[in-house]
Amino acid sequence: LLLLLLLWLLSSSSSWCIDHHNMDRSSLLWATRTLKSTGCMPIIEGWENLPKEHGGTMEDDGKPLMIVANHASWMDVPVIRQITKRCKFLAKKDLGLVPILGPSLRWGDHPLVDRSDKRSTVKSFRQGVDWLKKGVSLVTFPEGTRSVDGRFSSAEALKGGAFKMAIYSGARVVPVSIAGTYDIMPKSALLPLRPSDGRIRLKIHAPIETHKGMSEEELAAETHKTISSGLPPSQQPLP
């Protein structure tokens, strides 16, 4: 908490840190230490589809990304943090209550959505679009909550806000498939059940270009199809 407070003070007082990146560093440190201490570091493929700014090998062109992944476990958060070096999470307001992660999200000015409150939804949409227009990438789990059985939801069940933001701002969508986290820590578990031993895998797919003529449903369907292609049979959406 002292570290978080120090980073918050630095991000608040430093004119060069306009995106509160000091706070984001604290959540990345938390995520990496969590995975290493539990033996759950993921195997990652597809670095060629991610800009160098996020640790990938693709040349940076300054265009922001909307990184979209399936959500089967609490472990998905620290796992996807390994490919998002400088970003904001578009997340449920409840995550703001999680120790260490919560303060870094709130103080880092991440868009936190309370879907029961229309004003909150509008505010988070504007906040997300503002970040994208500033060139800051966003990360989201469009299912809205963790899967109860590890399977990916249907395309129709995905929340449309992230896709609307991407189209409105012209951001690319980067689909990400996360496999194996449900087996290590299902929704019913409070802690990881075992080390992953290489079972957690993350696949970064090629970016999807967006344009004004594209509908949210069209973009959601294409993203859903791509994410599904990188999941094992046990995590495939049911017909």
Side-chain angles (χ1 to χ4, degrees):
L1 287 177
L2 288 175
L3 173 61
L4 286 171
L5 179 59
L6 176 60
L7 290 174
W8 174 70
L9 290 171
L10 285 171
S11 65
S12 298
S13 60
S14 301
S15 59
W16 50 267
C17 191
I18 59 172
D19 62 356
H20 303 278
H21 185 48
N22 287 332
M23 290 312 309
D24 298 337
R25 287 196 191 108
S26 68
S27 67
L28 177 57
L29 177 64
W30 161 81
T32 303
R33 288 190 174 179
T34 295
L35 294 174
K36 287 183 176 180
S37 65
T38 56
C40 291
M41 287 297 288
I43 295 173
I44 302 172
E45 60 176 297
W47 286 112
E48 69 277 7
N49 295 317
L50 205 63
K52 291 179 179 178
E53 181 184 21
H54 293 296
T57 59
M58 180 189 292
E59 291 298 325
D60 293 312
D61 61 2
K63 196 168 185 178
L65 306 175
M66 177 70 76
I67 299 172
V68 180
N70 59 298
H71 196 17
S73 168
W74 182 87
M75 293 297 286
D76 295 334
V77 176
V79 164
I80 203 167
R81 200 65 186 84
Q82 302 309 298
I83 65 164
T84 50
K85 307 301 182 188
R86 196 180 185 104
C87 66
K88 300 296 176 185
F89 272 82
L90 179 61
K92 290 193 304 181
K93 187 177 180 180
D94 295 354
L95 274 181
L97 303 176
V98 177
I100 302 179
L101 176 63
S104 74
L105 290 174
R106 296 196 307 273
W107 296 346
D109 204 22
H110 295 246
L112 300 179
V113 187
D114 180 358
R115 293 192 177 92
S116 65
D117 184 344
K118 187 175 181 179
R119 293 178 67 181
S120 170
T121 303
V122 172
K123 179 183 176 182
S124 61
F125 178 86
R126 289 175 177 169
Q127 189 179 9
V129 168
D130 284 345
W131 279 128
L132 290 170
K133 287 185 174 180
K134 291 175 183 176
V136 178
S137 297
L138 295 181
V139 182
T140 188
F141 301 109
E143 291 170 277
T145 188
R146 289 166 290 167
S147 168
V148 296
D149 58 5
R151 291 187 180 276
F152 192 26
S153 300
S154 65
E156 294 74 22
L158 301 185
K159 309 297 181 185
F163 303 109
K164 187 175 182 179
M165 282 184 201
I167 294 170
Y168 187 82
S169 63
R172 295 188 183 102
V173 170
V174 177
V176 174
S177 304
I178 302 176
T181 53
Y182 179 81
D183 295 332
I184 304 304
M185 190 177 176
K187 192 170 184 177
S188 59
L190 295 176
L191 295 169
L193 303 178
R194 64 186 73 85
S196 66
D197 296 325
R199 284 188 289 258
I200 296 179
R201 293 179 175 268
L202 187 150
K203 183 172 183 178
I204 309 162
H205 298 275
I208 299 171
E209 298 288 344
T210 62
H211 55 83
K212 294 293 185 181
M214 179 182 279
S215 70
E216 298 167 39
E217 293 77 17
E218 179 185 356
L219 181 56
E222 185 174 355
T223 304
H224 182 273
K225 181 179 179 180
T226 304
I227 293 174
S228 297
S229 71
L231 297 175
S234 63
Q235 288 187 250
Q236 289 290 325
L238 294 171

